[in-house]
Amino acid sequence: MTTKVAFLGLGAMGAPMAVRLVRAGYDVVVWNRTAARAEPLTTLGATAAATPAEAVAGAEVVVTMLSDPAAVTAVAEAVAPALRPDAVLVEMSTIGPDGTRHVRELIPASVGMVDAPVMGSVDRAASGALAVLAGGTPRDLARVADLLAVFGTVTECGGPGAGSARKLVLISGIVAGVTVVGETLALAERLGLDDPRAVLEASPLSGLAARLFADGVDFSAEMAGKDLRLAGEVLDLPVMAAARQVLESAPDQDADLGAAVRAVNQKR
């Protein structure tokens, strides 16, 4: 029988991920706070629900892909009474280990939970090339292994919360690194180097430089700043705090991380 999946959150990342589940043959019910975002999914065969609780009714797997801890908490509170006792909640948002633990406390003990945030942007979400960082009990991980593989390469990171922890570590380093490389580019331009971008791309900074100029991605300055805030709640991290201040000064908070960093440095 086809597995029924509730997918909650159809933002820049959630929408292409939900599309992949529909095309993989899952029985998908979708919900989004802005209902119009569900319409393209219904043309592909998904069912749209009016509320999160309606979406999860009868679902064997529930996937959440939302913006921040507050949004995930609100949805978890809304769906908790409606979850099947044997369902598995797959939390794929970036909310950190503390946020993951809070969600675990909100849902019934009989419901399984896997934290599986992802690395990669909308281009990789659409092509199924995300890096999925999964944490959970062996039983829960096994139950959703095939579903997670639809999104990309799955790395089992350890017990509950391990995926969220690894994601926070990696994304914080990348966001801060891109911010610093943006300033490095500004320094190179001020010093009059020929083709500063090429200089960076031919150096050990090439990976971060590539992300600074990446096309077809959508990881906003606002969301990048949120991730650094979550890291700062775990530990006092002065460099990351400074990077967050840079991102918060970006004129367009909806702009992709790389574009936002370049825009800040163009004003120097």
Side-chain angles (χ1 to χ4, degrees):
M1 296 179 62
T2 302
T3 300
K4 182 177 181 181
V5 180
F7 199 104
L8 311 179
L10 300 174
M13 292 291 288
M17 292 169 67
V19 166
R20 290 196 61 80
L21 288 179
V22 173
R23 289 177 172 164
Y26 288 92
D27 177 10
V28 181
V29 181
V30 296
W31 170 85
N32 192 71
R33 184 174 58 180
T34 303
R37 292 193 66 93
E39 293 176 4
L41 272 296
T42 60
T43 63
L44 297 177
T47 302
T51 66
E54 178 184 322
V56 306
E60 298 160 74
V61 181
V62 176
V63 179
T64 50
M65 190 63 174
L66 301 160
S67 59
D68 56 32
V72 177
T73 294
V75 166
E77 290 175 338
V79 304
L83 291 168
R84 277 177 48 157
D86 61 345
V88 180
L89 173 65
V90 181
E91 210 308 286
M92 304 193 76
S93 320
T94 302
I95 59 174
D98 287 346
T100 299
R101 281 190 289 270
H102 184 50
V103 172
R104 175 68 270 182
E105 293 167 355
L106 291 173
I107 63 176
S110 66
V111 173
M113 182 172 172
V114 169
D115 51 292
V118 300
M119 298 293 295
S121 190
V122 291
D123 52 344
R124 291 179 177 267
S127 64
L130 294 169
V132 182
L133 308 175
T137 66
R139 178 175 182 271
D140 288 341
L141 289 169
R143 291 177 65 189
V144 298
D146 290 343
L147 180 144
L148 292 180
V150 172
F151 304 129
T153 301
V154 181
T155 299
E156 294 188 1
C157 302
S164 292
R166 188 177 298 202
K167 168 62 186 289
L168 190 58
V169 167
L170 296 178
I171 196 62
S172 298
I174 290 171
V175 169
V178 170
T179 306
V180 171
V181 168
E183 294 190 354
T184 304
L185 176 68
L187 176 62
E189 291 172 341
R190 180 63 60 88
L191 291 172
L193 270 64
D194 292 336
D195 199 349
R197 175 175 175 177
V199 169
L200 294 179
E201 291 177 340
S203 78
L205 299 173
S206 58
L208 293 173
R211 182 59 186 85
L212 183 67
F213 293 101
D215 293 322
V217 293
D218 186 4
F219 177 42
S220 71
E222 182 181 15
M223 289 297 98
K226 177 265 297 183
D227 291 348
L228 292 181
R229 175 179 58 78
L230 290 175
E233 291 173 355
V234 176
L235 188 66
D236 180 19
L237 301 163
V239 173
M240 291 186 183
R244 178 186 169 197
Q245 290 179 350
V246 170
L247 292 172
E248 290 175 345
S249 72
D252 182 0
Q253 288 292 295
D254 292 328
D256 176 65
L257 168 64
V261 168
R262 298 199 309 274
V264 170
N265 285 299
Q266 284 170 359
K267 298 187 298 181
R268 295 183 187 278

